[in-house]
Amino acid sequence: MDDLDQALAELPRYDASEWAIQEVLRQVHEDQNALEEPEEAVVTPRPRFGLWAGIAAVTMLGAGLFVLNSQDAPGAPTAATTPSGMTLKGASDSRVDPSISLGLSLLRNDVPVALVPGATALGSDTVLLRYTTDSSGFAYLFRVGPEGDLEVFHGTPTLPGTHHVTVDGRIVGYELDGLAGEHTFGVAFSEEPWAPSQGTDAADAPQSLGPALAAKGAFPRTVENVTIDVRSVRLEPSGR
Amino acid sequence: MQENREFMGDARTDEELLFAHRDGDRQALGELLERYRGPVMTYLVRTLRDRALAEEVFMDTFVALHRSCHTYSPQNAFRAYVFRIARNRAISALRRVHERVMRQSVSLSPEPDDSRPRLQLIQGGAGPERLTAAREQLDRLEAAVQALPENRRSALLLVHVEGLSYPEAAEALDVPLGTVKTWIHQARKTLRAELGARFVERG
């Protein structure tokens, strides 16, 4: 071994995150479960992030309706593929709406914390967002505050798969400092980019997101070519 | 079958774990993931130069491994098999990204800028510590490795960083053994030329 070999051996090493490991296992178990189902089985349209399954959000958006009704999903797509693109036995070949799902976790004192149902966040926490989609298009991340205020804080072209929210290839998070009450974080998927009329996406966000947010039904749901999924984050009253 | 029992979590070889997974053992894939989360992720980060994308391809690789495990033959080394999947998936991801960049003529408005001050960098930013001379040297080596053509870089990383044998690397890269030797020779020559005196070949 010479100096070059030694230097190569000293190059930094990387490790897949625990979340990535769990996501692989989740997808594999989903595959295994699907294969065990009878051919005519209907595939659950919503890929679940186990810890966040079953979460419900109720938020008012302006004067519009924004009510989550988990028992009523008229617009929910019947997926023919899994989020990672595997064709499932017995699934229809007809075109289906894109699927998208959002997963949240918290970064607290530089340590990732699962956002389990019923948990509250601290004002010093940072929200980490990731989404899974089965389609190519454009993803927009947004937040709806307790008063119905809407903020679109990130947009990016996207490919099928699971994605962290990144800027220049680096993972970013949403700081909760200064916020209070319950906030709904969401991801919206559109095959085409939203065309900003006034040079700001915020100006177009209500008209692009409004119908999907106002519609009744479970998340994720697709309305007027926009598919959205949401998760809520409730901050502790003290903010800390 | 390659003996690979140096890991303490499970006494089974990689190949035995893959067969166990194929036969329905739901713990086996988890053990394989533990064994390869570092090696495959390290390889992917250097191949893709993007940690977030590398993690996506990492997940893609192991889901693909699961879906192809019925076609795996024990005549192939498992290490070569998994790195071959990882490399193919990485190349596909790079192509998709390239196509997307080429296709995208629309300027997206939601660029992260000063109107979104809440999005904060979580990782990968410049550290507060001053870089030492040794660290700078390592950074130069890292940059030089990343500047290598993909095939030479992959061959070098698989053999000199991940510890695959030359035959395993040839299997992973799907090329003859002689080609791997040539690629690695060329890669080492390039690195020495780039990095100067410290890495002049000895003896």
Side-chain angles (χ1 to χ4, degrees):
Chain A
M1 176 180 281
D2 63 16
D3 285 348
L4 180 56
D5 294 318
Q6 187 175 341
L8 286 168
E10 290 172 358
L11 283 173
R13 298 192 63 81
Y14 302 90
D15 199 7
S17 70
E18 193 56 36
W19 178 81
I21 300 294
Q22 295 304 318
E23 181 64 13
V24 170
L25 293 172
R26 186 195 65 78
Q27 287 191 35
V28 167
H29 291 166
E30 190 177 87
D31 275 9
Q32 291 171 328
N33 292 337
L35 289 172
E36 289 168 5
E37 291 176 5
E39 288 201 7
E40 56 274 11
V42 175
V43 178
T44 303
R46 179 177 182 170
R48 289 183 181 278
F49 293 87
L51 290 175
W52 298 285
I55 198 168
V58 180
T59 303
M60 293 300 296
L61 176 64
L65 290 173
F66 182 22
V67 180
L68 172 65
N69 178 357
S70 61
Q71 302 303 313
D72 177 16
T78 301
T81 57
T82 67
S84 49
M86 187 186 84
T87 302
L88 291 165
K89 212 173 178 182
S92 166
D93 289 335
S94 61
R95 186 187 184 284
V96 296
D97 291 326
S99 79
I100 195 158
S101 65
L102 178 68
L104 300 183
S105 58
L106 298 173
L107 194 64
R108 181 172 297 167
N109 299 325
D110 295 328
V111 176
V113 177
L115 190 59
V116 298
T120 54
L122 305 178
S124 56
D125 289 345
T126 297
V127 177
L128 301 177
L129 306 99
R130 58 191 168 277
Y131 60 90
T132 300
T133 182
D134 64 355
S135 305
S136 296
F138 296 83
Y140 298 88
L141 280 300
F142 61 92
R143 178 188 62 85
V144 182
E147 308 301 322
D149 49 307
L150 172 66
E151 176 194 19
V152 178
F153 54 85
H154 187 67
T156 180
T158 190
L159 297 166
T162 299
H163 307 273
H164 294 282
V165 177
T166 60
V167 174
D168 296 333
R170 294 171 173 174
I171 297 173
V172 295
Y174 190 101
E175 289 195 329
L176 295 174
D177 187 31
L179 299 181
E182 184 158 322
H183 295 257
T184 299
F185 286 85
V187 60
F189 175 87
S190 170
E191 288 186 348
E192 299 299 328
W194 296 345
S197 58
Q198 303 298 325
T200 164
D201 57 288
D204 285 290
Q207 70 187 54
S208 300
L209 272 173
L213 286 172
K216 286 185 177 179
F219 294 99
R221 60 184 175 219
T222 303
V223 178
E224 296 183 9
N225 298 321
V226 174
T227 303
I228 62 172
D229 192 25
V230 301
R231 295 285 185 273
S232 64
V233 174
R234 185 163 53 86
L235 279 100
E236 284 192 351
S238 64
R240 292 266 162 190
Chain B
M1 180 184 295
Q2 178 199 344
E3 290 298 321
N4 195 353
R5 298 179 187 272
E6 66 267 34
F7 302 97
M8 300 304 293
D10 191 317
R12 290 177 287 183
T13 64
D14 296 340
E15 291 79 2
E16 287 168 345
L17 284 170
L18 187 64
F19 289 134
H21 169 71
R22 185 191 64 187
D23 294 339
D25 179 346
R26 294 207 170 196
Q27 305 299 320
L29 184 63
E31 181 61 31
L32 281 173
L33 280 163
E34 281 303 314
R35 290 181 184 185
Y36 283 91
R37 61 190 291 174
V40 172
M41 188 67 181
T42 298
Y43 170 72
L44 289 173
V45 169
R46 291 217 165 77
T47 298
L48 297 165
R49 309 175 199 189
D50 179 327
R51 184 166 181 148
L53 183 59
E55 189 145 285
E56 291 162 19
V57 175
F58 175 87
M59 292 187 284
D60 197 24
T61 296
F62 280 90
V63 172
L65 174 70
H66 153 69
R67 291 174 182 166
S68 66
C69 66
H70 290 84
T71 64
Y72 172 74
S73 164
Q75 292 173 330
N76 304 113
F78 177 83
R79 284 200 298 179
Y81 187 66
V82 72
F83 277 108
R84 184 171 180 169
I85 295 174
R87 184 192 183 223
N88 288 340
R89 296 281 161 164
I91 290 172
S92 296
L94 286 172
R95 284 189 184 132
R96 289 199 304 269
V97 170
H98 179 69
E99 286 166 5
R100 169 63 71 179
V101 170
M102 297 301 287
R103 220 182 80 187
Q104 186 191 356
S105 56
V106 179
S107 175
L108 273 179
S109 61
E111 284 295 321
D113 55 23
D114 55 358
S115 67
R116 292 168 189 83
R118 287 185 177 280
L119 277 182
Q120 298 295 328
L121 194 64
I122 302 302
Q123 62 177 35
E129 71 281 3
R130 293 286 300 164
L131 296 177
T132 64
R135 174 62 188 269
E136 287 174 358
Q137 184 72 43
L138 215 52
D139 287 347
R140 287 179 60 209
L141 176 59
E142 185 88 77
V145 168
Q146 294 201 343
L148 292 169
E150 189 279 329
N151 51 12
R152 294 178 199 177
R153 183 172 65 242
S154 280
L156 184 82
L157 292 175
L158 291 176
V159 172
H160 286 284
V161 179
E162 300 309 330
L164 271 67
S165 66
Y166 278 77
E168 284 176 335
E171 200 175 319
L173 299 170
D174 197 20
V175 294
L177 179 59
T179 303
V180 169
K181 290 179 177 175
T182 300
W183 283 349
I184 290 178
H185 174 74
Q186 290 168 337
R188 294 172 65 90
K189 190 175 175 182
T190 302
L191 292 181
R192 286 199 171 91
E194 290 283 329
L195 298 171
R198 187 186 164 210
F199 293 130
V200 171
E201 194 160 19
R202 292 176 183 172

